[in-house]
Amino acid sequence: MTSQCCASGEIHQGTPSGKVTKIHGLDCYVAEPLEGVSPKGVIVILPDVFGWTLPNSRILADNYAKKGEWLVYLPEFMNGSYAPPELIISIHALDHGGVAKIWHLLKCIFYVIPFRWATRPSIIHPRIFGFFHALRNNEAAHLPLGAAGFCWGGKWSTILAWDEEKEHDKPLVDATFTAHPSSLAIPSDIQKVKKPTSVAAGSLDKRYRKQQVDETDAVLRTKTDAGEAAHEVVWYEGARHGFAVRGSQTDKAENEMGMRAEAQAISWFQKIFATVK
């Protein structure tokens, strides 16, 4: 189904209130808590295929910063190859047939192939992990640090949760949140998870199917029961791929699920950060 493509969804209405600057060598959108509030932690958003410029992701960063009272970073991890927002329109057009459908399909292919090449692990791993190492030496030296990954970014938030690298004996992340991830190897990627992880999954997501979600849940439950770390998987009935960041604002049910996923992430980081010493 074309509606299940990782680029489907809706561009949200609203004006991001953060700022754009360079952080540790990368272009970055920065959202801060309300004036006069000291950050209680640092959150890094690892976005979907639309990267750091999508208004939806920037508005989400603003909400995290204000509601969670965190310093939130949305860096340009994708080596300049993120998809333009108008690609969302092309994905919707694929469902309506006609000659235009061929044009929009070719447009999607035009962006997907270069994206996969530019974001291959050998390029992206050093960008992401270098950024987190730098945070541990600076902004998050004495603050909890979390990663929130969506779609493409969900793979990388999961890899960060493996806890395979340290900075001065500290983990690179204290907790992760992952919504409708793509390209995960199930169950092997989940079996390696060590840091507290919260997952949001939708029943209509063809890129993260129920069988994969069930396997994820089973593995994480076993880890939680064994006392390794706290984990959770939250199921959203009727939710499509991308619902946590690109869900429709005009569809009441879908908008509500997007808001619930936002609340899930905020509640999760607040819970885990409260235990970090």
Side-chain angles (χ1 to χ4, degrees):
M1 293 176 61
T2 55
S3 62
Q4 295 304 324
C5 174
C6 63
S8 63
E10 182 180 287
I11 300 174
H12 289 178
Q13 299 298 310
T15 302
S17 59
K19 64 182 180 181
V20 172
T21 186
K22 284 277 189 181
I23 301 292
H24 304 305
L26 297 180
D27 288 331
C28 191
Y29 178 81
V30 181
E32 299 178 309
L34 295 173
E35 187 176 353
V37 177
S38 298
K40 296 179 180 178
V42 181
I43 300 292
V44 178
I45 293 180
L46 297 105
D48 57 23
V49 69
F50 294 98
W52 75 297
T53 63
L54 186 72
N56 305 28
S57 295
R58 293 187 173 192
I59 292 169
L60 185 64
D62 293 341
N63 291 343
Y64 281 4
K66 292 177 175 61
K67 296 178 181 179
E69 299 184 343
W70 304 311
L71 178 61
V72 182
Y73 290 143
L74 175 57
E76 204 290 83
F77 284 133
M78 294 178 172
N79 200 25
S81 68
Y82 45 89
E86 59 265 24
L87 195 65
I88 291 179
I89 298 172
S90 290
I91 294 300
H92 280 303
L94 293 180
D95 287 328
H96 298 293
V99 177
K101 180 176 180 179
I102 298 175
W103 161 248
H104 287 293
L105 177 61
L106 291 174
K107 186 175 180 180
C108 292
I109 294 173
F110 175 81
Y111 283 106
V112 168
I113 294 177
F115 173 81
R116 290 187 178 277
W117 174 250
T119 60
R120 60 195 186 277
S122 62
I123 298 294
I124 299 304
H125 188 282
R127 291 174 71 93
I128 292 177
F129 276 72
F131 191 82
F132 277 86
H133 276 287
L135 287 180
R136 271 306 191 203
N137 270 315
N138 293 277
E139 297 92 333
H142 304 290
L143 288 173
L145 176 56
F150 301 86
C151 307
W152 176 87
K155 173 77 171 184
W156 289 103
S157 60
T158 301
I159 293 174
L160 283 162
W162 294 353
D163 195 27
E164 293 184 334
E165 296 186 23
K166 305 286 186 181
E167 181 63 38
H168 298 308
D169 294 324
K170 283 189 173 184
L172 291 189
V173 293
D174 294 300
T176 67
F177 169 77
T178 297
H180 38 77
S182 60
S183 303
L184 281 181
I186 307 292
S188 60
D189 281 351
I190 307 303
Q191 290 169 339
K192 299 176 185 178
V193 168
K194 294 181 180 178
K195 304 307 293 183
T197 296
S198 176
V199 179
S203 66
L204 301 182
D205 188 348
K206 303 302 182 183
R207 297 180 63 83
Y208 189 40
R209 296 176 179 274
K210 187 178 187 303
Q211 180 180 350
Q212 294 177 306
V213 177
D214 288 344
E215 288 185 74
T216 298
D217 190 28
V219 171
L220 294 181
R221 280 180 182 273
T222 298
K223 289 177 175 290
T224 300
D225 292 344
E228 296 180 23
H231 304 291
E232 68 175 11
V233 176
V234 179
W235 181 254
Y236 291 81
E237 188 64 40
R240 300 178 297 170
H241 187 77
F243 76 95
V245 70
R246 298 192 308 273
S248 172
Q249 290 183 311
T250 54
D251 183 304
K252 183 177 179 180
E254 192 165 286
N255 184 62
E256 180 182 347
M257 287 186 284
M259 297 301 294
R260 284 170 50 202
E262 178 186 301
Q264 176 188 339
I266 292 171
S267 176
W268 179 253
F269 286 123
Q270 287 175 329
K271 173 185 174 182
I272 302 302
F273 282 6
T275 68
V276 176
K277 298 179 180 180

